Amino acid sequence: MKRKILMSILTSITMYTWAQENPSEEAKKKRLDFAKTYFELGGTFFPSFTGKSMVNNEVETFKNSASFNQYLTWGGFHFWGHAELYVTFPLNQTDFKKNDQNSFEHKHSVVTGARFFPWVYQEKKIIPYVGVSWGALDFHQKSKPNEDQPFISKDFMMNYDIGVLYGYRNFSLRLGLNYFPDNKWQYPIDKTNKEEIKTPNFAFQLGLLYSMDTSNNVDKETRDKWNSYPRLSKQTLGSFKFGDFFVGVGPSMSFSLSKSEYNESQFPYLKNKITSKNYFDIAAGYHFYKAGIFTALSFRNPKFETEGYGSKQEIKKTSLALEGNKFLTDYTGFAPYIGINLAYDKLKYTENADNLKQEITFNKIEPGLTIGWDIRPGKNDEALILRTNFRWYPFSEFEVDGKKFKFSQLEYNLIQLVFYPEKLINKKK
């Protein structure tokens, strides 16, 4: 598990070693041409597969329909057209055949994905790619008459894909094939019995991309200055001011990393490792330019839920974290950092089972580790920058009825928009 987490976090960084060409080509590459943002709308075709349910105390098999699962991707072309880095959100599922007795949901999301182009992505050319992603799959069967079967998840999956892109102006067409090596589910068909269900290993992908370049939308003097920075340099290079205040906001998710002793014994048919719903990370802090350090106070309120067969668990967390982070380097605007944080958490655990309700509320101080990166093509000149980070809380847990509920978490702050108001005010003077 730890290896998977580390591999996922470092995927973006290791891609930098892939895009090396001969010296003459390297000399043509400019800092502001390093990346280009895109949005993609598309769908993934999953073949039909066999489902199972419990009918009159006997296991019954049935055919789940083929489906077309729509998605939205937010990503970017990086390394001067040699790679993509992206995240994907599931939107909707369309089944090709209706079944009045049984149906299912099969949601695939990508937390961090990377694709490599052996040849530089260019307009009016068909360019192949290979990719790897850290993703999650949610699976849910609904079988009448109960229809309250649980959602179960695979949260730390390494999936793979191959495909081609064809681009014209700002648009691109994607044709791809996705491979899911971990497709076996021990699905609870009732409170006490589980059956193995195999979802499809392969899925076909079709997507339409729209890309845009915002880094070059500055005057010539500023553009020349930013392009003059060395490929690899300290993030503090060219910093003369002591520092500035900033505020930031962005979407986040939290993943439980440890199995719960309590759930394994009391609710084996519910999720053992719970993933939160989407929430916002809201931060305010101060950036010390010359030191290459920033401190921040971050507010988060994730909510975790799992339910099925008349039982439901809910955890509401309200947290305020104080953190300090140090920038490590700057590679063409990619500025990774590492730091520590201390969070004050208020947790409320609610359990409903067999018409009995239980609530536990408590406060805790949790130490954590922060790893992340900023996108700073203008180093410290820009009023708006993009930030991504992971916060890891390895020691979080509590007790329910004398049994441990492991709550070790990985918070993933997807894309945070960070605003330096004083810089904008100074530019308008």
Side-chain angles (χ1 to χ4, degrees):
M1 176 62 73
K2 291 181 180 178
R3 290 182 180 178
K4 287 184 178 181
I5 297 170
L6 182 62
M7 182 177 179
S8 303
I9 294 174
L10 296 180
T11 296
S12 300
I13 301 173
T14 56
M15 289 290 290
Y16 285 92
T17 64
W18 295 1
Q20 301 301 315
E21 296 184 323
N22 61 64
S24 61
E25 289 296 322
E26 289 289 307
K28 298 177 183 178
K29 295 176 179 177
K30 296 181 179 180
R31 180 182 178 94
L32 297 188
D33 296 330
F34 174 75
K36 183 183 291 188
T37 300
Y38 73 75
F39 291 92
E40 177 181 355
L41 277 173
T44 306
F45 172 80
F46 285 93
S48 62
F49 62 97
T50 300
K52 298 178 182 179
S53 64
M54 184 69 78
V55 179
N56 298 324
N57 294 320
E58 292 187 0
V59 178
E60 182 180 272
T61 62
F62 55 90
K63 204 72 170 176
N64 278 314
S65 168
S67 64
F68 188 70
N69 296 47
Q70 298 92 55
Y71 65 84
L72 171 67
T73 291
W74 181 8
F77 295 108
H78 293 264
F79 312 100
W80 299 276
H82 274 285
E84 288 180 59
L85 299 176
Y86 66 97
V87 295
T88 297
F89 309 93
L91 297 178
N92 192 30
Q93 175 177 312
T94 302
D95 296 333
F96 286 89
K97 288 185 179 180
K98 296 296 182 182
N99 186 326
D100 293 334
Q101 295 299 315
N102 302 287
S103 60
F104 73 99
E105 292 181 72
H106 191 222
K107 297 179 180 180
H108 174 225
S109 57
V110 174
V111 180
T112 299
R115 298 186 179 107
F116 170 62
F117 300 95
W119 296 280
V120 176
Y121 171 74
Q122 299 179 55
E123 282 189 44
K124 299 181 181 179
K125 289 188 176 181
I126 298 176
I127 306 297
Y129 64 81
V130 294
V132 60
S133 64
W134 164 32
L137 274 176
D138 293 327
F139 180 56
H140 178 210
Q141 282 197 162
K142 292 186 288 185
S143 298
K144 291 183 177 180
N146 295 324
E147 294 191 75
D148 67 340
Q149 290 82 6
F151 263 101
I152 60 174
S153 302
K154 297 178 184 289
D155 291 332
F156 287 91
M157 299 180 64
M158 299 307 296
N159 303 316
Y160 308 91
D161 65 323
I162 59 173
V164 294
L165 273 183
Y166 178 81
Y168 180 72
R169 295 185 177 178
N170 290 341
F171 292 92
S172 303
L173 180 67
R174 182 191 308 281
L175 295 175
L177 178 66
N178 297 327
Y179 173 59
F180 304 94
D182 185 5
N183 71 324
K184 296 179 181 179
W185 305 77
Q186 292 299 318
Y187 194 82
I189 56 175
D190 61 20
K191 284 189 174 183
T192 57
N193 295 286
K194 294 183 178 181
E195 287 288 328
E196 183 177 276
I197 296 176
K198 294 181 180 180
T199 51
N201 271 126
F202 294 94
F204 298 95
Q205 183 179 0
L206 174 66
L208 181 66
L209 295 73
Y210 179 79
S211 58
M212 63 198 79
D213 182 3
T214 57
S215 298
N216 280 294
N217 295 336
V218 292
D219 59 77
K220 185 179 184 304
E221 182 180 352
T222 301
R223 186 164 58 249
D224 291 343
K225 176 188 174 183
W226 293 357
N227 279 326
S228 70
Y229 291 132
R231 180 74 56 81
L232 184 66
S233 62
K234 292 183 178 181
Q235 203 280 321
T236 56
L237 181 67
S239 297
F240 301 103
K241 191 177 180 181
F242 181 77
D244 271 325
F245 288 98
F246 65 82
V247 294
V249 62
S252 297
M253 289 185 69
S254 292
F255 302 88
S256 297
L257 304 180
S258 301
K259 291 185 176 181
S260 164
E261 174 189 328
Y262 179 72
N263 269 24
E264 286 184 331
S265 62
Q266 301 297 316
F267 301 103
Y269 49 91
L270 297 182
K271 284 185 183 180
N272 204 308
K273 294 186 289 185
I274 310 176
T275 301
S276 78
K277 296 183 177 181
N278 294 326
Y279 61 93
F280 284 100
D281 184 321
I282 303 171
Y286 192 84
H287 187 166
F288 300 88
Y289 293 140
K290 292 184 179 181
I293 293 172
F294 70 90
T295 61
L297 196 61
S298 176
F299 173 81
R300 294 99 58 233
N301 61 340
K303 182 179 179 181
F304 304 78
E305 285 184 344
T306 178
E307 62 181 315
Y309 297 122
S311 302
K312 181 177 180 180
Q313 289 176 313
E314 179 183 272
I315 301 173
K316 291 182 179 180
K317 173 181 169 181
T318 303
S319 180
L320 198 62
L322 177 64
E323 62 184 353
N325 299 296
K326 169 67 176 175
F327 286 103
L328 303 177
T329 188
D330 179 323
Y331 183 86
T332 65
F334 174 85
Y337 61 83
I338 188 169
I340 57 175
N341 69 79
L342 195 64
Y344 174 75
D345 294 345
K346 180 178 180 180
L347 283 90
K348 180 180 180 181
Y349 171 82
T350 304
E351 174 187 305
N352 283 281
D354 299 323
N355 296 319
L356 297 175
K357 185 175 182 179
Q358 180 177 194
E359 287 188 355
I360 302 173
T361 302
F362 56 93
N363 303 325
K364 294 190 73 174
I365 300 292
E366 294 288 350
L369 175 69
T370 304
I371 298 175
W373 59 87
D374 285 2
I375 303 301
R376 294 177 169 270
K379 287 206 177 275
N380 294 323
D381 291 347
E382 297 169 279
L384 288 172
I385 61 103
L386 297 179
R387 174 169 295 160
T388 298
N389 66 50
F390 296 84
R391 294 190 190 96
W392 179 35
Y393 296 99
F395 308 115
S396 183
E397 65 179 34
F398 55 93
E399 287 192 358
V400 183
D401 295 337
K403 292 184 173 62
K404 288 185 178 180
F405 197 112
K406 293 284 189 178
F407 202 49
S408 172
Q409 300 161 66
L410 182 70
E411 292 184 3
Y412 178 39
N413 185 3
L414 175 61
I415 295 290
Q416 188 176 62
L417 184 64
V418 179
F419 174 52
Y420 292 78
E422 191 173 346
K423 291 181 183 179
L424 185 63
I425 293 171
N426 291 337
K427 286 182 179 180
K428 291 184 177 181
K429 287 183 179 180

